[in-house]
Amino acid sequence: MKLTRRDFMKNHAVAAAAAAAGISMPVSHLAQAASNDDDEEVRWDKIPCRFCGTGCSVLAGTRGGRIVATQGDPDSEVNKGINCIKGYFLSKIMYGGDRLKTPLLRKKNGKYDKEGDFEQVSWEEAFDVMAEKWKAALKEKGPSGVGMFGSGQWTIWDGYAAAKFMKAGLRSNNLDPNARHCMASAVGAFMRAFGIDEPMGSYDDLEHADAFVLWGANMAEMHPILWSRLVDTRLTREGSEVHVLSTYTHRSFELADNGMIFEPQTDLMIANYIANYIIQNKAYDKKFLDNHVNIKKTVTDIGYGLRPEHPLEKKAKNSGKGKLSGMTFEEYAEAVSKYTLEYTSKHSKVPAENLERLAKLYADPNKKIMSLWTMGMNQHTRGVWMNGLVYNIHLLTGKIAEPGNSPFSLTGQPSACGTAREVGTFAHRLPADLVVKSPAHRKVAEKIWKLPEDTINPKVGFHAVLMQRKLKDGAMNCYWQQCNNNMQAGPNINDEMLPGWRNPKNFITVSDPYPTVSAISADLILPTAMWAEKEGAFGNAERRTQFWRQQVSPPGNSQSDLWQIMEFSKRFTVEEAWGAELVAKMPEYKGKTLYQVLFKNGQVNAFPYKDGTVQDSDDNVYKNDESEHFGFYAQKGLFEEYRRFQTEGPKPGHDQAPFDVYHKVRGLRWPVVDGKETLWRYREGYDPFVKKLNPGVKKGEVYFYGKKDGKANLIFAPYEPPHESPNEEYDLWLCTGRVLEHWHTGSMTNRVPELHKAVPDALVYMNPNDARDRGLRNGAKVKIISPRGEITTRVNVRGRNKTPKGMVFIPFFDARRLVNKLLIDATDPLSKETDFKKCVVKIVQA
Amino acid sequence: MAICSLVVQVEPTRLETVTQSLESMEGVEVHARNEQGKVVVSIDHPSRDYCSDTMVNISRISGVMSSSLVFEYQEDLEPGQAHNL
């Protein structure tokens, strides 16, 4: 029987769903689906999802140069054949009607003019003008005069090329990713506690844990696939329970056995209360503490990352300081003893029985616990402290680094880990956890990159928020933003961002596939190839590195971020970028361009490329636009050079597999040694580095090798008040975040008609009592006003997010209502990550 | 033409009523289910919009704990048909 395409697709769809659910279907059904596969001209290939940090693998079906079908990848260990609802629209994000296809420059009378209108220009003209501006800024201000703002959505090689171009090429550490806005606090806490970034466990903990505690994460909407794995365990494992902590009620509470709404900032008290409970009830693991943990405390009164002249910074005794000092166990016990059940319940407004139930869970030696968190904990003016306080609980009880016992920091972007963190595209970092301020680390980078001694600038660059302040102040004059929409996603847009972009001294370049709020605020817009339009690699939240091939071609004259960076580097000679003195140390570089020195250096261009180089196991041939253009396999050369940082640097345990391996597998979790991935780090038997670095270790023992003495830091930090709290005039808390249907600023999901239709407007979710007190009905048009600005939208008192009295929630996907205008640019003083979860507003009828 | 399939995780005690709700939706078929509350569902409809609305509506049925898309196929989507802001 010949099936119609429709029958075929439907059979395929049902068979795939049944397989993913683990439900057997009649054989004929499956056989038909398989037997007709050859009749279809659809080519299937794996590609990781473009959205969150989960790292689901998707099978993309391409026909006639377009992706026409997608399927959850049944061979993926992450998503096991399923996708979330955003996966339905994954391929549609490339086909928005307003895709940019050519560079656009502001011009008047045929010339660049900051006050001009956007006109189409060639890449040649675009880079001519941009290079002129960048060279002028370098000449006037030195390396600090230019900066680049990248992304946790960059591919690994986009980020690596950018780091090399900025740090080695222009000798500027003014490179930061938008991941600063989402993960920096997590990074800070990992480095302080363990000396190596990223979680010790893996998603496999979702099947090994008895209980789950969500600390500021709405996994049901933001990480639906991981949530479905968690739901499976909750429903099938005897005694399994789920605890959810948040400042408002969201969809994850539907599964909660113990749901807790706390007053913003009092999570600091709750975590310390749990530690206190564990100590009071002698439920700590003394042997584990003695052998594997150093107890420390952090300096306090550290300010809020505001401008130095802000009264709060002037008042803070230790503004921005993070120094640690030792303390005894008894001193620690004394420090947390203040956080009693009564005290914590009173201030957090969480009923005592709920708090005690949570504390008992952590204290129970027979319960394996996975703690999960995302932005609720990271976007917090005490984010590093708060991350650390959760590690404290796991360290106190020894519930760490083994199957099911797992403090797990989730990520929000597909390669926040793989690119921003592992490649180190931060203002203070170099690849593989190295930092610019360490002479030894700089030396390693200079050797691998074949640079003259002292090329790399030891001075930490401007972080995300500081870059905006420096643009406003005219201290940094050129800024290049790739792969994110910071003018919508950054804080305090009107006061601290837009003035810098429109400052006549400054030249702003934005690379994007769409005319986002950022793009239209810039001076030059560069049209960018999207993820499936280039060969790429992402690293997800469980240390899994995943590759994909270029599936389709980008539209018009769009070019990938990688192409743009490499091509732009041709515009600078080493003399212009480095100065004669540095070039004199390596005279063989005289007269060369940065492109020649950075990318045609005998390493990045070491792998030849010709038509047919990239093939899958079915002999399908894929394009690779960058490699064709530059004449060598650029992605491979960059990745292989990057890998050297993992093995030649002084920080062990970052090893990834060779490039070609990743095109054949569904990703591998680093460290990868002898082809084997690592599911749990720091424990002998799971992690090969434990024995290597501590030969006497016994099986099953822990060794935190990121720290010199093999011990993790338990770091006491107290409660400190938030940067601002509701007052007589501004009487409500505002929290921002995502909704299921949209991803971040909506620059992609808003182009999908169905998603746009499902949730077209950012509403203000409000408590019915707060609405009534203000005389507002559901659906009423209101003004939300903060000390920084105001926006207008409608009230929703019955939505999926149910806020307690005194708090409202507005998502940030809506370009027509820039909620971030309302936010204060207060950051964690240690991680420099903005607090997007609390500021003050008032609401009045519009 | 749009076809997709989903695995819907239902609270096991509410399997019957949720199945009924699902089957009452136009273009929706329930193909299989098990006692853990997993339900295999397809949506087949000429309209893309309808399929996506339905997916969202399924996730909002009381008793549905999660819904996961497995497969989607769409024909006839021309460039530029997608939303233009």
Side-chain angles (χ1 to χ4, degrees):
Chain A
M1 184 185 77
K2 174 80 180 164
L3 294 172
T4 63
R5 174 173 287 154
R6 178 185 179 152
D7 293 335
F8 167 76
M9 283 299 172
K10 194 158 163 187
N11 280 353
H12 189 130
V14 172
I23 297 176
S24 58
M25 295 286 290
V27 176
S28 59
H29 216 104
L30 301 170
Q32 280 177 351
S35 66
N36 281 273
D37 208 0
D38 290 343
D39 299 341
E40 297 296 317
E41 307 138 31
V42 176
R43 182 196 69 203
W44 291 96
D45 196 25
K46 69 174 172 108
I47 180 165
C49 177
R50 173 68 182 78
F51 296 121
C52 80
T54 301
C56 295
S57 181
V58 175
L59 296 178
T62 305
R63 190 178 54 216
R66 286 173 63 86
I67 297 181
V68 294
T70 55
Q71 179 185 337
D73 185 347
D75 295 327
S76 163
E77 291 168 311
V78 175
N79 50 311
K80 306 175 190 207
I82 58 177
N83 281 336
C84 79
I85 234 83
K86 275 190 297 303
Y88 183 64
F89 306 103
L90 188 55
S91 57
K92 310 328 177 257
I93 60 175
M94 294 185 291
Y95 303 120
D98 56 348
R99 259 311 278 270
L100 299 168
K101 294 178 181 138
T102 179
L104 297 167
L105 180 69
R106 285 188 188 274
K107 282 169 100 172
K108 234 185 223 172
N109 306 321
K111 280 201 333 233
Y112 164 68
D113 190 314
K114 184 129 188 140
E115 301 309 317
D117 295 322
F118 283 115
E119 290 180 25
Q120 297 192 356
V121 294
S122 64
W123 280 100
E124 198 63 23
E125 185 179 349
F127 279 153
D128 278 348
V129 172
M130 187 172 161
E132 186 196 313
K133 297 288 178 191
W134 279 58
K135 284 177 194 179
L138 284 168
K139 209 165 178 184
E140 197 196 325
K141 304 260 165 63
S144 67
V146 297
M148 190 169 194
F149 192 62
S151 176
Q153 300 157 56
W154 258 344
T155 67
I156 289 172
W157 27 84
D158 292 339
Y160 182 75
K164 204 173 177 189
F165 171 64
M166 290 301 294
K167 301 201 169 193
L170 300 184
R171 305 178 74 192
S172 173
N173 291 323
N174 292 348
L175 171 72
D176 221 37
N178 66 342
R180 178 74 74 177
H181 292 322
C182 70
M183 300 315 306
S185 299
V187 177
F190 273 119
M191 299 315 284
R192 273 159 58 111
F194 306 102
I196 306 188
D197 195 10
E198 301 193 21
M200 49 290 297
S202 63
Y203 295 161
D204 291 50
D205 291 315
L206 290 163
E207 282 81 34
H208 289 282
D210 297 303
F212 304 90
V213 183
L214 270 56
W215 291 85
N218 177 8
M219 286 176 74
E221 287 200 72
M222 309 315 161
H223 297 89
I225 294 303
L226 299 180
W227 183 246
S228 73
R229 288 176 63 171
L230 188 156
V231 170
D232 265 0
T233 303
R234 167 66 187 79
L235 294 179
T236 52
R237 179 182 289 245
E238 181 144 352
S240 177
E241 50 190 284
V242 176
H243 297 236
V244 180
L245 289 144
S246 173
T247 55
Y248 60 91
T249 305
H250 49 66
R251 287 213 67 174
S252 303
F253 279 74
E254 289 170 22
L255 188 72
D257 300 286
N258 185 19
M260 288 161 276
I261 305 296
F262 63 90
E263 184 73 8
Q265 196 86 350
T266 63
D267 45 353
L268 294 159
M269 293 181 189
I270 294 171
N272 276 319
Y273 155 68
I274 295 167
N276 185 27
Y277 179 93
I278 288 165
I279 293 169
Q280 298 295 327
N281 290 280
K282 310 241 177 316
Y284 52 91
D285 184 337
K286 184 162 188 311
K287 206 171 131 207
F288 189 89
L289 288 172
D290 289 346
N291 293 334
H292 307 301
V293 177
N294 291 314
I295 301 178
K296 309 242 165 146
K297 62 181 171 193
T298 187
V299 292
T300 55
D301 196 6
I302 59 174
Y304 298 97
L306 294 155
R307 280 183 180 259
E309 59 273 20
H310 193 286
L312 281 174
E313 295 312 316
K314 284 189 171 149
K315 209 179 108 200
K317 254 191 256 135
N318 300 301
S319 175
K321 300 251 165 65
K323 199 172 164 356
L324 301 178
S325 52
M327 78 196 297
T328 65
F329 180 79
E330 289 68 31
E331 285 165 343
Y332 173 58
E334 169 68 24
V336 294
S337 67
K338 172 180 168 190
Y339 302 96
T340 62
L341 181 57
E342 297 68 34
Y343 176 88
T344 306
S345 174
K346 183 180 154 210
H347 292 282
S348 67
K349 299 186 185 159
V350 180
E353 60 267 30
N354 296 71
L355 285 174
E356 196 167 29
R357 182 171 172 190
L358 176 64
K360 274 188 175 150
L361 173 74
Y362 274 111
D364 184 343
N366 298 315
K367 288 272 189 201
K368 289 193 169 143
I369 300 170
M370 192 172 190
S371 302
L372 296 138
W373 65 91
T374 333
M375 299 315 146
M377 201 190 283
N378 293 340
Q379 295 173 341
H380 191 314
T381 43
R382 293 293 179 269
V384 172
W385 287 13
M386 189 56 219
N387 273 257
L389 294 182
V390 174
Y391 293 130
N392 291 358
I393 299 169
H394 284 268
L395 289 170
L396 266 178
T397 50
K399 294 186 181 188
I400 193 164
E402 64 183 345
N405 275 326
S406 184
F408 204 100
S409 161
L410 293 165
T411 53
Q413 299 191 85
S415 204
C417 285
T419 303
R421 293 161 71 168
E422 290 158 30
V423 172
T425 65
F426 286 86
H428 64 297
R429 277 187 147 192
L430 290 164
D433 281 353
L434 307 188
V435 291
V436 297
K437 67 172 192 221
S438 158
H441 293 186
R442 292 198 303 275
K443 204 167 228 150
V444 171
E446 284 160 359
K447 179 173 153 250
I448 294 172
W449 284 344
K450 303 209 281 190
L451 303 172
E453 203 179 323
D454 300 326
T455 303
I456 294 171
N457 194 331
K459 203 172 155 230
V460 173
F462 303 148
H463 59 80
V465 170
L466 190 55
M467 269 191 199
Q468 300 305 320
R469 293 177 189 160
K470 294 290 182 186
L471 283 171
K472 181 179 173 184
D473 298 347
M476 189 174 96
N477 301 125
C478 287
Y479 171 85
W480 188 1
Q481 181 175 298
Q482 283 193 332
C483 212
N484 76 90
N485 185 11
N486 200 36
M487 189 51 80
Q488 186 173 338
N492 204 356
I493 293 169
N494 278 359
D495 290 350
E496 289 289 359
M497 295 183 66
L498 196 57
W501 287 42
R502 300 318 305 150
N503 183 338
K505 290 183 192 155
N506 300 344
F507 187 80
I508 309 293
T509 306
V510 168
S511 301
D512 207 280
Y514 287 110
T516 58
V517 175
S518 296
I520 59 174
S521 306
D523 303 308
L524 172 64
I525 309 174
L526 301 175
T528 299
M530 292 182 77
W531 102 124
E533 298 162 349
K534 60 189 180 183
E535 185 161 324
F538 283 158
N540 79 354
E542 58 162 355
R543 296 175 277 107
R544 181 187 297 272
T545 314
Q546 306 194 79
F547 280 29
W548 71 92
R549 302 174 188 91
Q550 182 180 332
Q551 300 297 317
V552 292
S553 294
N557 292 322
S558 305
Q559 297 287 356
S560 71
D561 291 338
L562 178 63
W563 183 93
Q564 294 176 25
I565 294 162
M566 288 173 66
E567 199 56 33
F568 188 56
S569 73
K570 290 179 179 171
R571 303 292 176 135
F572 298 84
T573 64
V574 285
E575 283 80 5
E576 287 166 332
W578 293 354
E581 201 182 317
L582 193 68
V583 178
K585 290 188 188 173
M586 272 197 185
E588 63 269 34
Y589 285 165
K590 238 173 137 180
K592 292 201 165 166
T593 65
L594 288 184
Y595 172 73
Q596 288 171 307
V597 170
L598 303 178
F599 302 114
K600 267 195 121 172
N601 64 347
Q603 297 175 164
V604 176
N605 61 338
F607 303 95
Y609 175 85
K610 60 179 190 329
D611 248 1
T613 295
V614 187
Q615 291 191 16
D616 64 20
S617 54
D618 296 329
D619 302 326
N620 291 311
V621 172
Y622 296 79
K623 287 185 68 171
N624 181 319
D625 290 340
E626 299 86 347
S627 297
E628 196 182 317
H629 175 80
F630 292 112
F632 50 88
Y633 199 162
Q635 293 87 350
K636 186 170 179 177
L638 288 163
F639 188 75
E640 288 301 332
E641 188 186 84
Y642 162 49
R643 278 209 314 135
R644 292 181 52 194
F645 281 88
Q646 300 158 3
T647 49
E648 294 176 29
K651 305 272 276 180
H654 295 80
D655 306 39
Q656 287 174 308
F659 182 87
D660 293 335
V661 170
Y662 288 106
H663 270 313
K664 296 179 188 135
V665 297
R666 258 57 177 183
L668 291 170
R669 287 163 278 193
W670 61 266
V672 181
V673 177
D674 300 329
K676 278 204 209 95
E677 59 174 354
T678 303
L679 273 60
W680 291 278
R681 290 194 292 171
Y682 312 135
R683 197 175 286 272
E684 170 54 12
Y686 293 112
D687 180 345
F689 281 93
V690 170
K691 190 151 218 160
K692 202 169 155 190
L693 298 163
N694 183 16
V697 75
K698 289 199 196 74
K699 188 156 171 83
E701 252 182 40
V702 162
Y703 188 70
F704 293 110
Y705 53 77
K707 295 287 184 190
K708 276 205 184 83
D709 61 358
K711 291 183 173 186
N713 284 333
L714 182 157
I715 304 164
F716 171 72
Y719 170 83
E720 282 189 356
H723 44 285
E724 59 183 27
S725 303
N727 51 45
E728 236 167 62
E729 184 178 4
Y730 299 99
D731 53 354
L732 294 165
W733 287 109
L734 167 68
C735 177
T736 70
R738 283 171 45 201
V739 291
L740 171 68
E741 290 80 358
H742 289 292
W743 196 67
H744 290 185
T745 63
S747 61
M748 294 179 286
T749 49
N750 253 329
R751 261 90 194 165
V752 179
E754 294 88 341
L755 290 174
H756 180 70
K757 208 179 93 202
V759 185
D761 304 300
L763 305 172
V764 54
Y765 295 93
M766 199 171 180
N767 185 285
N769 294 318
D770 282 334
R772 201 168 36 233
D773 291 349
R774 288 162 183 77
L776 304 169
R777 284 210 198 124
N778 194 40
K781 201 170 168 195
V782 291
K783 267 191 202 165
I784 300 107
I785 306 164
S786 89
R788 275 92 32 198
E790 62 177 68
I791 63 168
T792 304
T793 186
R794 291 185 185 277
V795 169
N796 185 320
V797 296
R798 295 196 282 265
R800 59 185 101 183
N801 291 327
K802 294 180 178 60
T803 55
K805 206 166 169 347
M807 147 136 334
V808 298
F809 178 93
I810 307 175
F812 72 110
F813 68 84
D814 189 347
R816 292 163 306 173
R817 290 174 188 84
L818 295 175
V819 64
N820 288 19
K821 285 199 291 197
L822 309 179
L823 307 185
I824 185 171
D825 50 320
T827 71
D828 179 305
L830 305 177
S831 71
K832 322 297 184 195
E833 177 166 349
T834 304
D835 193 324
F836 291 94
K837 300 301 185 190
K838 41 188 177 292
C839 73
V840 297
V841 294
K842 63 180 168 186
I843 295 188
V844 298
Q845 187 109 36
Chain B
M1 176 178 99
I3 291 167
C4 67
S5 63
L6 299 98
V7 178
V8 180
Q9 174 70 59
V10 178
E11 214 176 287
T13 54
R14 298 166 78 176
L15 198 50
E16 273 313 314
T17 51
V18 174
T19 302
Q20 277 170 20
S21 307
L22 288 167
E23 282 176 335
S24 71
M25 299 165 97
E26 190 191 332
V28 174
E29 284 175 66
V30 173
H31 297 269
R33 56 187 207 183
N34 69 12
E35 55 203 33
Q36 276 97 52
K38 283 202 160 73
V39 184
V40 175
V41 172
S42 69
I43 310 173
D44 177 356
H45 200 274
S47 153
R48 282 177 67 192
D49 281 15
Y50 178 83
C51 285
S52 55
D53 288 350
T54 304
M55 263 192 276
V56 173
N57 291 338
I58 286 174
S59 69
R60 287 177 184 162
I61 295 175
S62 174
V64 170
M65 305 179 82
S66 71
S67 63
S68 311
L69 179 76
V70 173
F71 182 94
E72 68 88 11
Y73 174 79
Q74 294 180 355
E75 255 184 16
D76 323 319
L77 175 70
E78 294 307 318
Q81 187 183 323
H83 185 64
N84 193 343
L85 277 184

